[in-house]
Amino acid sequence: MNSEKHTFPTYAHPEVEFVRGQGVRLFDSNDQEYLDLTGGIAVNSLGHAHPHLVAALKDQADKLWHTANIFSIKGQEKLASRLCDNSFASKVFFTNSGAEALECSIKTARRYHYSRGDTKRVNILTFEGAFHGRTLATIAAGGQAKYLEGFGPKTQGFISLPFGDHDALKAAIDDETAAILIEPIQGEGGIRSVPYQCLRGLRELCDANGILLIYDEVQTGIGRTGKLFAHEWAGANGEAAPDILASAKGLGGGFPVGACLGTEAVAEAMIVGTHGTTFGGNPLAMAVANAVLDIVLEEGFLESVCQKSIIMRQHLAEIVDRFPDLVEGVRGNGLLLGLKARVPNTDIIGAFRNHRVLAVSAGDNVVRFAPPLNITDDELRLAHEKMIAALEDMNQKA
Ligand SMILES: *Cc1c(COP(=O)(O)O)cnc(C)c1O
């Protein structure tokens, strides 16, 4: 907005400003109501101002905000044990953001090989269209020219491979390879899913070559796809389990927090002094993230996400049927869904916004949806009606 005179001009904001939220609803400065199917880009996993999260934050705010990691922080052990009990992992390191969770993942992978005397293994294999954050290492990991341009020498040790090219992947593995890093569903890259058999194949390939598998589940984790982590769909018995996993976004439901999860074997390499953070795992973040898990791990919650997903997919499929000139297909899993557009995705997002529904763009000309995981069937229906009205508007103007 043109009222922003003192912030870096890094974002191209639309002319709307939100001042409060309630569940799936956001209210702008004129008290106009919007349905938020963006969820702060898969962050507001339980909608805005969820009473259980608000209470947890307020309660912790009265007790203790910060001690730094020179002292042990009670909520960390609780949150870590719950993440481990419900995933492949045995140990967790807490961060403030997704990019930092990736930085920790990359450092852990390299340090694992280093600690075993395999000091040559530093390279991380990544895939075209990936997005892993905006730090210098994670833009190198993402490999996208548009994010690297103008920021000096690219951080070494990242090799970007074509998406879905098995032969190129096998050929790229050598005695300097430390790990494969992949998003089970590329979020930023356009809601592109990696087939389950490929995830299992990656696990086998890593085992056969003594290298580590890292999942970036910053966007796909914490119930977003109807499992705690998306890769679980590829095998209930750990057939596609990683060695390291980066989480963030939905973990805090809107409070900044990230996590690097690892097996016992990789975490062992991260001995005292090898890594650290001032804010990561802060008591406020731990209180809120534990409150998020109270709900996401409740009996039946993940199943309910799958039910909502079926409804929303049906709605989106109907949109594809009715507006074939505007959209051509539905992508994604759970409540991380995309509409592949035939016209510029930003036109569709703008039309939705005019009808007070919020969606966000993704790569490959996709309109991305990441609504709250607890959105109701009625709210989904209402959003669907508004989206249809928006697309009818577009057709009339064309
Ligand atoms: C958002 C995102 C990141 C970066 O997270 P930040 O909190 O913005 O640093 C990394 N990987 C994926 C898959 C993401 O969606």
Side-chain angles (χ1 to χ4, degrees):
M1 289 177 98
N2 50 16
S3 61
E4 292 164 358
K5 295 200 172 83
H6 296 94
T7 53
F8 274 29
T10 45
Y11 305 110
H13 294 147
E15 296 280 321
V16 58
E17 196 171 57
F18 294 109
V19 293
R20 70 190 169 89
Q22 188 66 59
V24 72
R25 291 176 167 80
L26 273 174
F27 299 86
D28 71 8
S29 40
N30 301 316
D31 216 32
Q32 295 290 344
E33 179 184 309
Y34 289 72
L35 292 176
D36 180 9
L37 305 187
T38 303
I41 318 185
V43 166
N44 301 105
S45 40
L46 300 169
H48 299 279
H50 191 288
H52 184 61
L53 274 53
V54 172
L57 182 61
K58 284 185 172 167
D59 182 55
Q60 186 60 44
D62 281 335
K63 288 183 189 152
L64 182 67
W65 288 23
H66 184 79
T67 60
N69 284 298
I70 43 179
F71 302 107
S72 100
I73 295 168
K74 200 160 160 262
Q76 286 190 15
E77 184 54 33
K78 180 176 175 190
L79 184 60
S81 71
R82 296 167 89 189
L83 288 170
C84 292
D85 285 349
N86 291 283
S87 76
F88 75 97
S90 300
K91 300 265 162 127
V92 183
F93 182 91
F94 291 109
T95 69
N96 306 291
S97 66
E100 287 169 284
L102 265 303
E103 292 271 347
C104 180
S105 301
I106 294 159
K107 286 177 75 174
T108 302
R110 288 180 175 170
R111 189 80 193 189
Y112 165 82
H113 292 295
Y114 174 89
S115 72
R116 294 156 56 97
D118 215 347
T119 52
K120 271 194 342 195
R121 290 197 183 271
V122 295
N123 288 339
I124 314 282
L125 306 181
T126 64
F127 298 91
E128 267 168 25
F131 181 80
H132 299 299
R134 299 294 202 110
T135 62
L136 289 168
T138 55
I139 55 175
Q144 298 199 38
K146 63 177 175 180
Y147 296 137
L148 285 158
E149 188 186 344
F151 296 118
K154 186 178 156 201
T155 303
Q156 288 184 1
F158 298 96
I159 298 165
S160 181
L161 301 167
F163 188 83
D165 186 337
H166 298 186
D167 295 332
L169 174 60
K170 281 184 190 140
I173 295 175
D174 60 21
D175 59 3
E176 295 182 12
T177 308
I180 296 171
L181 166 59
I182 192 166
E183 298 155 84
I185 304 171
Q186 284 190 348
E188 211 63 33
I191 318 292
R192 289 202 294 177
S193 301
V194 180
Y196 299 149
Q197 74 267 22
C198 293
L199 293 179
R200 293 192 291 270
L202 286 176
R203 178 69 273 170
E204 284 171 17
L205 194 62
C206 286
D207 288 342
N209 289 279
I211 61 179
L212 299 175
L213 180 58
I214 309 172
Y215 287 145
D216 181 346
E217 291 231 29
V218 167
Q219 191 156 160
T220 52
I222 315 299
R224 179 52 52 192
T225 69
K227 297 272 189 199
L228 188 61
F229 294 109
H231 72 267
E232 295 167 31
W233 287 109
N237 300 310
E239 296 93 326
D243 301 285
I244 301 172
L245 179 150
S247 178
K249 291 205 164 91
L251 179 59
F255 200 94
V257 59
C260 172
L261 284 65
T263 60
E264 188 76 47
V266 299
E268 254 175 20
M270 298 299 275
I271 55 172
V272 171
T274 51
H275 198 44
T277 163
T278 299
F279 292 121
N282 160 297
L284 296 169
M286 294 300 99
V288 180
N290 269 306
V292 169
L293 286 196
D294 288 344
I295 293 171
V296 170
L297 295 177
E298 240 171 37
E299 180 91 36
F301 183 86
L302 293 173
E303 289 76 6
S304 78
V305 174
C306 297
Q307 292 305 315
K308 314 283 178 205
S309 174
I310 291 169
I311 295 171
M312 190 162 179
R313 286 191 80 100
Q314 277 168 354
H315 288 164
L316 295 178
E318 188 191 320
I319 284 177
V320 173
D321 282 349
R322 274 177 73 168
F323 302 96
D325 296 337
L326 300 175
V327 289
E328 61 182 75
V330 182
R331 296 179 176 187
N333 191 2
L335 287 175
L336 182 61
L337 294 172
L339 272 178
K340 166 84 172 156
R342 282 194 201 278
V343 297
N345 55 359
T346 47
D347 290 359
I348 294 178
I349 290 165
F352 285 171
R353 196 165 59 239
N354 290 339
H355 284 258
R356 308 227 165 87
V357 171
L358 303 176
V360 61
S361 65
D364 209 17
N365 204 30
V366 164
V367 177
R368 173 171 36 164
F369 303 96
L373 304 178
N374 56 354
I375 190 169
T376 66
D377 296 3
D378 284 344
E379 288 163 348
L380 282 171
R381 227 175 345 261
L382 186 61
H384 181 53
E385 285 162 13
K386 287 174 185 281
M387 287 194 279
I388 285 177
L391 296 173
E392 274 169 352
D393 265 8
M394 282 182 83
N395 268 348
Q396 264 155 28
K397 279 175 197 148

